[in-house]
Amino acid sequence: MSYLSNSMIMTVNKLTVSYNFEGQDGAPVIIFIHGFPFNKSMWNLQVKELKDNYRVITYDIRGHGNSGTGDEVFSMDLFVNDLICLMDALKVDKAILCGLSMGGYIALNAIENYPERFNALILSDTQCTADTPEAKEKRIKAIESISKTGVEKYADESIKNLFASESFTLRKEEITDVRGMIVKTSEQSLCNTLNALSVREETCSKLSEIKVPVLIMAGEEDKITPPAAARFMHEKISGSFLKIIENAGHLSNMENPVGFNIQLKKFIASVY
Ligand code: MLT
């Protein structure tokens, strides 16, 4: 799945950001944030579905896809600053925010710090907890193995955990696309982002303060951020909606785009 044709470049927060901004002027804005270590093309099927009725922004997080890396130490706070600076540069005062996995960590951090900038939240295949000591240890091992055996091997190992079992036979094209996204990420950016993920702070204690409509989705076979993590957030965010996406693992928007998009569209229509 290649980038949508009108991908653009802009310098914000001393960073070259590659982004897409589709749809009609004046329509409600939805911003999608991808997971690690992917890029904005993972949202192509959602952009296609929404762009006739909404303005849809996708962008490559620092160190991913066609965006630059900048000079600062990667952190969730820095990723949030990049997002807010991009919104300012594009003159987007308020948007619906949708983040998958790391994109969800960024979305939760963004709504905690800039609640006035968002009118709804979609959390997909993500969690509010910080890394456990075991998870931190795994990150350190991943950094060591990337340095020793390279990005291609890391991609092959990652793929095993990302998808639902039936996706390995039914979603071969998506798997190839995702592998392509992983190997496009430089060794340095992979390690810098793994470090940023391992020191991220929990956002669970702030969930009760979220006052906008929230949709939480998770692939039923998500092994990385399982449905239990989604249920936990659902219980903490009053009035939130929870949808478990069948036939999907961690990348539910790519593995079951029909099921995912039905819930996405229904929720967005209820917000506007
Ligand atoms: C992601 O998909 O963004 C990652 O799995 C997040 C993580 O490793 O915590």
Side-chain angles (χ1 to χ4, degrees):
M1 204 180 295
S2 61
Y3 281 117
L4 295 165
S5 51
N6 50 352
S7 179
M8 291 165 281
I9 289 281
M10 185 189 267
T11 302
V12 292
N13 209 18
K14 292 188 262 164
L15 178 77
T16 308
V17 177
S18 174
Y19 70 99
N20 252 69
F21 199 167
E22 303 262 345
Q24 305 300 314
D25 275 352
V29 179
I30 300 146
I31 303 174
F32 288 92
I33 317 177
H34 62 79
F36 166 80
F38 318 120
N39 61 52
K40 62 182 173 314
S41 66
M42 73 169 292
W43 297 113
N44 281 359
L45 292 179
Q46 284 66 48
V47 176
K48 199 169 156 215
E49 193 75 19
L50 295 173
K51 69 183 169 57
D52 290 342
N53 296 308
Y54 302 98
R55 293 208 84 185
V56 188
I57 298 174
T58 56
Y59 70 100
D60 291 336
I61 294 171
R62 193 180 277 260
H64 296 73
N66 289 337
S67 285
T69 53
D71 297 324
E72 291 168 71
V73 175
F74 285 14
S75 69
M76 291 306 122
D77 285 346
L78 181 64
F79 293 162
V80 171
N81 285 344
D82 293 341
L83 165 68
I84 299 297
C85 290
L86 179 65
M87 288 174 73
D88 290 344
L90 295 174
K91 301 201 179 342
V92 173
D93 285 342
K94 240 177 153 142
I96 294 183
L97 195 53
C98 174
L100 183 138
S101 200
M102 176 173 75
Y105 308 159
I106 297 169
L108 282 166
N109 192 312
I111 200 143
E112 180 185 327
N113 290 295
Y114 300 90
E116 71 289 352
R117 303 297 300 264
F118 304 103
N119 38 22
L121 191 59
I122 300 151
L123 299 169
S124 174
D125 301 280
T126 191
Q127 59 194 352
C128 60
T129 47
D131 269 10
T132 58
E134 295 73 34
K136 282 186 203 286
E137 190 58 35
K138 264 175 116 176
R139 305 257 192 222
I140 294 167
K141 290 225 168 76
I143 291 170
E144 284 167 3
S145 86
I146 291 166
S147 312
K148 267 197 217 128
T149 55
V151 175
E152 300 267 343
K153 179 93 190 321
Y154 176 72
D156 291 335
E157 287 303 313
S158 303
I159 292 289
K160 291 180 192 161
N161 283 323
L162 286 169
F163 293 91
S165 40
E166 72 170 32
S167 296
F168 289 98
T169 42
L170 298 179
R171 295 279 173 195
K172 290 197 170 140
E173 200 181 315
E174 286 77 6
I175 291 175
T176 305
D177 289 341
V178 168
R179 194 179 183 286
M181 290 183 219
I182 300 175
V183 298
K184 186 174 165 55
T185 317
S186 71
E187 199 175 304
Q188 194 60 55
S189 289
L190 287 171
C191 296
N192 290 346
T193 313
L194 282 163
N195 267 321
L197 287 165
S198 78
V199 297
R200 76 182 190 283
E201 287 176 13
E202 63 84 30
T203 48
C204 307
S205 57
K206 304 284 179 188
L207 292 181
S208 62
E209 291 169 21
I210 298 176
K211 298 296 174 227
V212 295
V214 178
L215 169 64
I216 301 164
M217 292 194 270
E220 66 177 344
E221 284 187 53
D222 187 339
K223 296 189 271 290
I224 298 173
T225 49
R231 274 190 208 103
F232 181 76
M233 293 190 290
H234 172 55
E235 280 158 20
K236 301 251 170 202
I237 307 176
S238 83
S240 61
F241 300 95
L242 173 68
K243 299 289 168 196
I244 303 300
I245 306 298
E246 291 175 354
N247 308 321
H250 189 55
L251 300 181
S252 55
N253 71 310
M254 297 183 76
E255 296 179 75
N256 184 351
V258 172
F260 186 96
N261 288 349
I262 287 172
Q263 302 303 336
L264 181 69
K265 280 167 68 180
K266 205 164 111 188
F267 175 72
I268 293 173
S270 75
V271 173
Y272 287 109

